[in-house]
Amino acid sequence: MAKGHRSQIKRERNAIKDTRPSAKLSYARVSVQKACFVLDAVRGKDVKTALAILDYSPRYASRLIGKLVRSAIANAENNNGMNPDNLYIEECYANKGPTMKRIRPRAQGRAYRIEKRMSHITVVLNER
């Protein structure tokens, strides 16, 4: 168990802030598996190359992730004062979000479940 007063514990926890520029898209209407195909293609690449890959990828998730990368670049430029030419994608991942459950009527009174999955996509940049 942690020692110290509650305010001291909170102060120590808040001191360990991640200063890397990032952007997060919550409740994206794309499954984690489909988003990960696109994220694996751009992980570790510099920002210019990643945007080129995303612009010419035919997948639906690539448009969402392209917007997210552009947002992270803007955050890096405005909030951290970083040069966009030196940025690369250090981390990118998709976590499972809530699932919308729908019903598909089938023959003889049966019903099949349709699961419309969502994900939370995060992109973290860093300077080389």
Side-chain angles (χ1 to χ4, degrees), residues 38-54:
V38 180
L39 291 172
D40 291 340
V42 297
R43 187 176 290 116
K45 303 259 192 315
D46 65 291
V47 167
K48 266 186 191 169
T49 309
L51 286 175
I53 290 169
L54 293 169

Side-chain angles (χ1 to χ4, degrees), residues 19-81:
T19 58
R20 299 176 299 176
S22 64
K24 184 174 181 182
L25 172 63
S26 296
Y27 306 103
R29 271 291 292 118
V30 62
S31 71
V32 173
Q33 293 89 333
K34 292 175 183 177
C36 279
F37 274 119
V38 180
L39 291 172
D40 291 340
V42 297
R43 187 176 290 116
K45 303 259 192 315
D46 65 291
V47 167
K48 266 186 191 169
T49 309
L51 286 175
I53 290 169
L54 293 169
D55 286 342
Y56 291 102
S57 175
R59 291 185 175 270
Y60 169 75
S62 64
R63 195 173 336 131
L64 300 175
I65 295 168
K67 277 184 169 182
L68 200 58
V69 170
R70 286 182 178 90
S71 174
I73 292 168
N75 291 341
E77 211 172 343
N78 294 324
N79 302 343
N80 297 31

Side-chain angles (χ1 to χ4, degrees), residues 64-105:
L64 300 175
I65 295 168
K67 277 184 169 182
L68 200 58
V69 170
R70 286 182 178 90
S71 174
I73 292 168
N75 291 341
E77 211 172 343
N78 294 324
N79 302 343
N80 297 31
M82 294 180 169
N83 185 5
D85 299 330
N86 301 336
L87 294 173
Y88 74 102
I89 298 177
E90 188 171 49
E91 284 181 36
C92 55
Y93 51 89
N95 293 327
K96 189 171 178 276
T99 304
M100 293 191 296
K101 289 157 181 91
R102 299 293 181 261
I103 297 298
R104 175 88 175 150

